[in-house]
Structures are given as C-alpha cells and as structure tokens.
Amino acid sequence: MSSSDKANEEQKFEVRKLEISDKGKGFMELLKHLTSCDPVSDKEFEERVQQINAYGDDHIVCVIEDDRSGKIIATGSVFLEKKFIRNCGKVGHIEDVVVDPSARGKQLGKKIVDFLTEHARSKGCYKVILDCSVDNKSFYEKCGYKHKDIQMSKYFV
C-alpha cells in the first residue's frame, strides 16, 4: 500500500451538524453544485442557522468537513413533518444532498444520506422520502431508496 493510499485510508470524514462558522468554510459555494444559489450575508446565514437550530431535531442540516483543507465537502438536510395519518406519525424529508465534485467517489453522499435517514428513523418517522433527478436515481437506490410515484412542483420564483 502506498503512503498516499494509507493517508486516504486514515482520513476520517465525520458527519456533523452545520455550524455558523461553516459559511467561511465554503458551505454556500458547495450548494452552488446543487442549484442556483444567491449570495447570503454573514448576518443572514447566522440568522438562518439559528432558525433551523430552533426546530431542534425536527430540522437538521449536516455537513462533512475535509479535515485537511478545512472546507465543507458534503451536506444534506432532513426535516420531520408531523402528520395526522399513521397514528399522528412523522415523515422525514431529505433535501439538498450534495458532494463537492473533487470529493466524489469517497462514499460521502451515502454517508450523508445514511446519517439523515438514521436521524429520521431514530425520531420515530414511519418513512423517509426525497426527490431526485433521473441522473441520481441509481445513487439513491444504492442507499436503499425505491422509486415511488411522481414528484410534482410549482415554482413561484
């Protein structure tokens, strides 16, 4: 095994909750790999993180930080919807999963999805759902998700 292989093997990619300091670690730039992302001021970012944190376990954004570069290289979120059906059950909704192109192929996306899925399960959700592009369907199938029904959307902006 070469020294670079050993170094990659030793590097641990831990999933953790989003922190206010992550804006300076490229969090917003990472989201640009997912969709259009307008600039957000430091104040707006801090306020949004605080709003999300106020929901406690009902809405979390998680990240993986590259411990070598200090950059955020993967993220995703889950929010828990409280229902009347299924005995006042809960459904987890996974959103905004993205891995920096330079870090793909390291199973980081799967690590994020598994973390979010387990969070929803541990909080009593009877299912977890997500929307994805046709291009990403096989990735989510590898994470244990199955194609079901159709997604519909109506954009206001």
Side-chain angles (χ1 to χ4, degrees):
M1 192 180 264
S2 75
S3 62
S4 66
D5 287 341
K6 287 180 185 173
N8 280 338
E9 189 177 296
E10 292 170 11
Q11 188 172 14
K12 296 208 175 7
F13 295 106
E14 300 297 325
V15 181
R16 63 168 172 79
K17 289 174 94 171
L18 178 72
E19 299 169 355
I20 292 169
S21 62
D22 291 334
K23 182 175 188 282
K25 297 176 181 178
F27 177 77
M28 295 304 297
E29 290 76 14
L30 176 62
L31 290 178
K32 290 178 184 176
H33 294 289
L34 182 65
T35 189
S36 160
C37 194
D38 296 327
V40 173
S41 72
D42 290 348
K43 183 176 188 256
E44 289 170 318
F45 187 84
E46 183 174 345
E47 287 173 355
R48 182 51 46 103
V49 171
Q50 289 171 347
Q51 289 167 354
I52 291 169
N53 288 345
Y55 288 112
D57 287 333
D58 285 350
H59 189 175
I60 64 165
V61 178
C62 67
V63 299
I64 296 176
E65 180 178 346
D66 183 331
D67 59 353
R68 292 183 182 153
S69 69
K71 291 290 186 190
I72 302 301
I73 55 173
T75 187
S77 67
V78 64
F79 69 91
L80 310 185
E81 176 189 7
K82 293 179 171 117
K83 312 279 280 181
F84 287 101
I85 62 172
R86 299 261 183 154
N87 242 357
C88 288
K90 294 185 274 187
V91 174
H93 295 262
I94 291 180
E95 292 281 340
D96 303 336
V97 175
V98 62
V99 176
D100 188 275
S102 68
R104 291 183 184 158
K106 298 178 182 179
Q107 302 292 308
L108 302 182
K110 184 174 185 331
K111 199 167 191 154
I112 291 283
V113 171
D114 288 349
F115 179 89
L116 297 170
T117 301
E118 177 54 26
H119 176 79
R121 189 205 61 74
S122 74
K123 299 304 170 195
C125 290
Y126 68 88
K127 72 176 178 179
V128 181
I129 60 177
L130 57 83
D131 296 321
C132 70
S133 68
V134 172
D135 292 343
N136 290 331
K137 183 177 180 247
S138 66
F139 165 74
Y140 288 107
E141 288 172 339
K142 290 176 189 169
C143 294
Y145 286 77
K146 295 180 177 14
H147 180 101
K148 184 170 187 317
D149 298 328
I150 288 179
Q151 173 208 22
M152 305 289 289
S153 63
K154 186 173 187 174
Y155 286 82
F156 299 109
V157 179

